[in-house]
Amino acid sequence: VQLQASGGGLVQAGGSLRLSCAASGRTFTRMGWFRQVPGNEREFVAASRWSSGSLYYADSVRGRFTISRDNAKNTVYLQMNSLKPEDTAVYYCAASPFYSGGFDTVGSYLYWGQGTQVTVSS
């Protein structure tokens, strides 16, 4: 199983970026995005449940970020608009083959991508 994340970069505040995460090796019940700043715990950003299409967002990104998926490509995307300096972090995609556990919990995900840096300048 492999998760390949891409799309990070440097952008000015108010700008946009789109992250992609291509999964291979198996299918999953849910895929999501987390982010982490050095010295802090990894925090939930957004998630999508494959079977129902339900979408979940952290309060800090709701209305600015959109998670979507391409089932045929087994890929999940994170469209990030109106970016703020506090969105600066390493973003990780995550996937789980299970239904158990909270969608916003790190421990609920079995597979992780390598991380992609997002830097938002003020």
Side-chain angles (χ1 to χ4, degrees):
V1 174
Q2 189 173 29
L3 301 181
Q4 185 67 42
S6 61
L10 172 64
V11 65
Q12 288 187 331
S16 299
L17 284 173
R18 190 176 83 151
L19 306 183
S20 300
C21 179
S24 60
R26 68 171 300 164
T27 56
F28 304 99
T29 61
R30 67 178 80 168
M31 293 186 72
W33 291 94
F34 288 73
R35 65 188 182 186
Q36 189 170 24
V37 175
N40 290 2
E41 293 184 354
R42 194 166 295 187
E43 66 172 8
F44 169 74
V45 175
S48 174
R49 181 169 288 176
W50 240 237
S51 59
S52 65
S54 298
L55 306 178
Y56 308 92
Y57 295 98
D59 290 341
S60 59
V61 306
R62 187 175 289 111
R64 299 187 298 121
F65 291 11
T66 302
I67 187 170
S68 62
R69 66 192 191 195
D70 184 327
N71 290 349
K73 296 181 179 179
N74 215 19
T75 297
V76 65
Y77 304 96
L78 185 69
Q79 178 67 42
M80 305 185 294
N81 298 329
S82 302
L83 282 161
K84 304 175 181 180
E86 51 263 43
D87 294 319
T88 296
V90 177
Y91 283 70
Y92 297 89
C93 63
S96 173
F98 309 118
Y99 288 99
S100 60
F103 58 85
D104 58 351
T105 305
V106 169
S108 297
Y109 294 83
L110 189 59
Y111 303 103
W112 293 86
Q114 82 281 14
T116 183
Q117 176 71 45
V118 172
T119 302
V120 184
S121 63
S122 58

